[in-house]
Amino acid sequence: MSLAHARRVALAAQGFNDPDHAVPTMRTLMRTVERTGVLQVDSVNVLQRAHFMPLYSRMGPYDVDLLRRASSGKAKRRLVEYWAHVQALMPVELWPVMRHRMQRYRERQYKWWKDVPRDLHDGLLAEIRSRGALTARELDTGAPRTKEHWGWNWSQARIALDFLYMTGELAVAGRNSQFEVVYDLPERVIPDAVLGAPTPTKEEAFLELTRRAARSHGVATVKDLADYYRMYVADAQRAVDELVAAGELTRVKVEGWTKRAYLHRDARHPRRIDARALLSPFDPVVWERARTEALHDFHYRIEIYTPAHKRIHGYYVLPFLLRDRIVGRVDLKADRKNGRLLVLSVHFEPGAPEDAGEELELELARLAQWLGLGQIVALPPAK
């Protein structure tokens, strides 16, 4: 495969070749999630929460309440939060597939969980069972704190909540307006049919996750596939070998890649991609940096945690996808108080097309409208 061909296949797999809907619906949203597989969740809110952005990049302006509806309730729940890639919203039917991961966390008791007593786990579960869905803060203010009860300190309780979530003894019912996790019992979060589904073997789970990663990537190396759901490469390789034998994947050579790639049998092969999108730093197109460089010749790093004076491109920098190439990057901030979209810096890649600037302006206008910001302000670079 030529590199350009592979790039188009990959972007089509991610939903950038899907037909536009005049008004995105729940069906549009779920079609998009089927492409991305997961929606990474992150607390940074400089522009818009991370899990909202990949949907916007593919669907255009949409009602964010669609995502709230898809990830709340029980009977009609479509998405649930778990450690799928990292913290992410995933299709709720993956809950049984993730049980092998929950069991691994339960057995290994990683060092930051080891010193938390089991009676604290039991106490937190009892509080949630009797009081209903709660945030960590609500548990802190409402639960007993005396030696006669659990004798716990709050730092331990937070660690215990994390452990109970990772092991599947608690589930994320949603997030409140402060973006705090709301914990509840799985039986009050996960639809009965999903919760009662058989638990796949580890090998079956690895196979399903690799299959989904291959569909979302279109064409990828084993390392790419392993990273999508944070699997060990050896486990992904065994699954890939089985998928090749079954005819679901085909070995291919991509121009310029040193490692063998695998093409999903259902991958689309468009002659062109007409995308125009700003990509979140947590978008699947760019989250695996080596793949981004191999596929798009685009070196990208998040500089949120880099000291300001050492940043090259800015704090919250979004790659700009135009047609089938990432042609630039822009550092953006939502000034919600004053209704402004702040453009802190713009950098175009060498060889960017002549219309890149004009297309970026159009995309910024669309983004600002979606975010409810009435003004776009380009600020001079900080000295």
Side-chain angles (χ1 to χ4, degrees), residues 42-60:
D42 190 85
S43 61
V44 176
N45 196 24
V46 173
L47 181 69
Q48 174 60 292
R49 299 285 188 195
H51 52 297
F52 292 113
M53 282 300 297
L55 297 170
Y56 166 78
S57 299
R58 292 152 178 79
M59 293 162 42

Side-chain angles (χ1 to χ4, degrees), residues 31-103:
R31 180 189 69 180
T32 305
V33 173
E34 185 179 348
R35 308 294 189 217
T36 65
V38 296
L39 299 170
Q40 185 171 336
V41 176
D42 190 85
S43 61
V44 176
N45 196 24
V46 173
L47 181 69
Q48 174 60 292
R49 299 285 188 195
H51 52 297
F52 292 113
M53 282 300 297
L55 297 170
Y56 166 78
S57 299
R58 292 152 178 79
M59 293 162 42
Y62 71 99
D63 182 358
V64 296
D65 192 56
L66 287 172
L67 187 53
R68 183 200 60 78
R69 287 166 45 202
S71 56
S72 61
K74 175 181 174 178
K76 295 185 178 180
R77 177 181 288 273
R78 296 168 171 88
L79 304 172
V80 69
E81 204 169 313
Y82 188 64
W83 200 263
H85 172 70
V86 288
Q87 189 83 3
L89 285 164
M90 67 180 188
V92 72
E93 66 266 19
L94 276 180
W95 185 267
V97 178
M98 290 297 173
R99 286 183 184 139
H100 76 282
R101 188 165 294 181
M102 298 171 186
Q103 182 63 27

